[in-house]
Amino acid sequence: MPDGQTPAERAIPRARSLDDIVDLVPVHVVWEITLACNLKCQHCGSRAGHVRKGELSTAECLDLVDQMARLGTREVTLIGGEAYLRRDWLEILARVRAHGILCLIQTGGRNLTDTRLEAAIAAGINGIGVSIDGLAPLHDRLRGVPGSFDQAMSALTRAKAAGLSISVNTQIGAETMEDLPELMDRIIAAGATHWQIQMTVAMGNAVDNPDILLQPYRLIELMPLLARLYREGARRGLTMVVGNNIGYFGPYESLWRGFGNEAVHWTGCAAGQNVIGIEADGTIKGCPSLATQGYAAGNIRDLALADIWRNQEAMAFGRTRSVEKDLWGYCRSCYYADVCRAGCTWTSDSLLGRRGNNPYCHYRVRDLAKKGRRERVVKIREAGPESFAVGEFALIEEAIPPEELAALPQDRLPAISATDSRPVHIAPEGDDDPARAAGARGRIPPHLDLCRSCHEYVWPHETDCPHCGADIAAAAAAYAARLAEVQALAARIRARLDEAVPEV
């Protein structure tokens, strides 16, 4: 949103403005152009490997790019499978760039040869993201191909040497945390400037391999680690970009959403609001990761992209989502219910067979831990063999073993125990626009303030912080006074340094 964006964020094509939100502009498109793949990933939600039945022709793909441009898309990420295994991928890439749209590819890096890199650069590619899920032993095991880590790192360094913007995408599962610090060192050395982090989700192959999923309660270990790596990476020129299933709220929220800008926080799933996902056969979804069944809004062989985007009910679920209608379980009673709206739809729906209750939430895990409770997931139903198939997991709440509870650092827990002083707040819509109610216009998300005592977000009408009990206005005044003192001291130091520098 304009008032919440830094200048750097405004330069990012996928950054959303208020107009984008209200007018439902599909700013970012993630497009699976083929399901062919040369890896065998244990966590692949789309079960990639072979060409998808009925993949779009070259002419259909080029026309689809033209339709995206007419809708106002500013960034397209080409994925697979492995995007460059499609013979006409360079034609598609060039058509995207011809419209002035930023174009990236996300790759596993296996056999991304110099010839392919040079051809992509000639076609106008803007950057390459390489998926690396840990150090070599873990990565190779998860990706199912010996040597895939070395190939991924080679792709990264060669793309950097060729002058491309490069990033790394890492999925976090049960074994990933231990590898993250050294992995960050390795990718910085390779020249990566951005590192996207997301949770492995229970879909497709990951349902077949449930032991690779991180248990929800382990977020209490993960989030402080990510915050430390975020800050260290920022000092070393690496920006950590978290995916939509990392969060939500808690003491590090301003890092995850606003890159340190405290005015920016999570405002709900963007699927079908400013994001489009496309399957290789032309199926359109509100997010590329969502299951086909239940979330396919149409196919471009039957309807124009604009018609699917504007008028199809399966595309509008995120626009019309409400606390009363869609949220359940812990999320229904959460203080942040109406701004968060249960976080990532993909994560909760894939796991529990129903959106609206997401155990992969830092605020929730800390809140439960303060009560001596935690949640874990156990598979109870297998996924089918098709792409984006989901199974089902049981969500089990249990007492934290006493020895583990005693070992939890207190700074990882909320300031006070959860009480009824944290009621659910429903933000007023602000107008009676029937188009917004029907999902034809975007909902302006609520904006929260920050308690300067505990660094938790609070609704603007609050006077006493429901998290720590502090007087919010008094805490803000004390913070402003301390900030003024620091700024004055910094000014005096700068003046002394200027005086000490001899004139030339």
Side-chain angles (χ1 to χ4, degrees), residues 347-361:
T347 302
S348 57
D349 189 78
S350 299
L351 188 73
L352 303 177
R354 177 185 173 192
R355 61 179 178 258
N357 186 27
N358 189 349
Y360 285 93
C361 166

Side-chain angles (χ1 to χ4, degrees), residues 189-486:
T193 56
H194 291 80
W195 188 17
Q196 180 164 314
I197 302 289
Q198 68 180 46
M199 303 294 300
T200 297
V201 170
M203 173 178 275
N205 292 354
V207 183
D208 304 338
N209 302 284
D211 289 345
I212 70 174
L213 300 175
L214 185 77
Q215 286 292 345
Y217 64 83
R218 294 194 64 197
L219 294 188
I220 210 161
E221 306 168 55
L222 174 65
M223 294 305 197
L225 171 62
L226 291 183
R228 176 173 69 81
L229 295 178
Y230 177 99
R231 292 171 175 132
E232 182 183 340
R235 291 192 295 270
R236 299 168 64 186
L238 179 74
T239 299
M240 181 184 289
V241 182
V242 302
N244 288 340
N245 65 1
I246 298 287
Y248 305 92
F249 297 98
Y252 313 120
E253 177 63 22
S254 65
L255 297 183
W256 309 149
R257 308 303 161 199
F259 303 99
N261 179 2
E262 294 171 340
V264 181
H265 55 74
W266 173 256
T267 54
C269 174
Q273 299 181 82
N274 298 109
V275 176
I276 291 178
I278 305 175
E279 296 180 6
D281 64 357
T283 298
I284 307 297
K285 303 180 293 190
C287 167
S289 301
L290 289 171
T292 308
Q293 185 175 359
Y295 290 98
N299 191 292
I300 59 104
R301 286 174 169 147
D302 304 315
L303 296 167
L305 183 62
D307 187 7
I308 298 171
W309 175 251
R310 294 288 180 188
N311 302 320
Q312 300 307 302
E313 185 177 353
M315 187 64 74
F317 74 91
R319 308 168 191 171
T320 60
R321 180 181 295 186
S322 69
V323 173
E324 296 91 342
K325 182 181 67 173
D326 296 292
L327 271 56
W328 59 284
Y330 182 98
C331 289
R332 176 63 182 81
S333 61
C334 179
Y335 176 78
Y336 295 110
D338 197 37
V339 64
C340 180
R341 302 200 171 194
C344 172
T345 302
W346 171 42
T347 302
S348 57
D349 189 78
S350 299
L351 188 73
L352 303 177
R354 177 185 173 192
R355 61 179 178 258
N357 186 27
N358 189 349
Y360 285 93
C361 166
H362 191 211
Y363 175 82
R364 172 173 175 161
V365 169
R366 294 169 69 242
D367 188 24
L368 289 172
K370 194 69 177 184
K371 303 173 187 176
R373 309 292 292 175
R374 72 182 189 185
E375 292 175 318
R376 60 185 175 89
V377 294
V378 177
K379 186 171 75 171
I380 58 176
R381 182 170 61 85
E382 297 284 354
E386 65 276 4
S387 295
F388 301 107
V390 297
E392 187 175 353
F393 286 68
L395 182 60
I396 298 171
E397 183 180 317
E398 61 189 12
I400 300 176
E403 64 277 10
E404 294 183 26
L405 184 61
L408 282 179
Q410 288 301 301
D411 62 358
R412 294 188 182 179
L413 303 180
I416 60 172
S417 299
T419 69
D420 290 337
S421 66
R422 300 183 192 177
V424 176
H425 294 286
I426 307 296
E429 289 294 333
D431 62 41
D432 297 320
D433 184 353
R436 180 166 297 155
R441 295 184 69 211
R443 169 183 180 267
I444 300 174
H447 182 266
L448 306 182
D449 295 331
L450 197 65
C451 172
R452 291 297 180 182
S453 175
C454 64
H455 214 72
E456 300 276 6
Y457 283 88
V458 296
W459 287 89
H461 65 269
E462 300 276 21
T463 55
D464 295 325
C465 178
H467 308 288
C468 69
D471 181 308
I472 293 172
Y479 173 83
R482 291 194 303 272
L483 182 61
E485 290 176 2
V486 171

